Amino acid sequence: MKTKCKLCKRTTQPCEIKLNKENLCKDCFDFLLSKYKTIEKVRKITGQYHGGKK
């Protein structure tokens, strides 16, 4: 089943990562992980980006 990455809108057929019920491609996940250093921070950022939570 093809899904789209929520950040870059590319299809994530071969590899997808789910955080906060959001699909991310491996490239976007790796970028966010290198920038924010921990999965907890990446999860918080993706939640704020899509849900408008603060």
Side-chain angles (χ1 to χ4, degrees), residues 6 14 22 24 33 50:
K6 294 297 179 176
E22 303 290 346
L24 297 175
L33 192 60
H50 294 293

Side-chain angles (χ1 to χ4, degrees), residues 14-48:
C15 179
E16 84 177 56
I17 298 153
K18 281 195 153 197
L19 286 175
N20 297 338
K21 300 179 183 176
E22 303 290 346
N23 295 324
L24 297 175
C25 66
K26 186 175 182 337
D27 295 334
C28 289
F29 179 74
D30 289 341
F31 170 73
L32 290 172
L33 192 60
S34 67
K35 184 173 182 176
Y36 294 108
K37 307 292 186 223
T38 63
I39 293 176
E40 290 80 20
K41 287 183 182 177
V42 172
R43 187 172 291 149
K44 183 177 177 184
I45 294 297
T46 56
Q48 288 177 353

Side-chain angles (χ1 to χ4, degrees), residues 1-3 11-17 25-26:
M1 182 170 145
K2 291 184 180 181
T3 58
T11 57
T12 58
Q13 173 74 26
C15 179
E16 84 177 56
I17 298 153
C25 66
K26 186 175 182 337

Side-chain angles (χ1 to χ4, degrees), residues 47-54:
Q48 288 177 353
Y49 179 76
H50 294 293
K53 301 175 192 170
K54 292 195 175 194

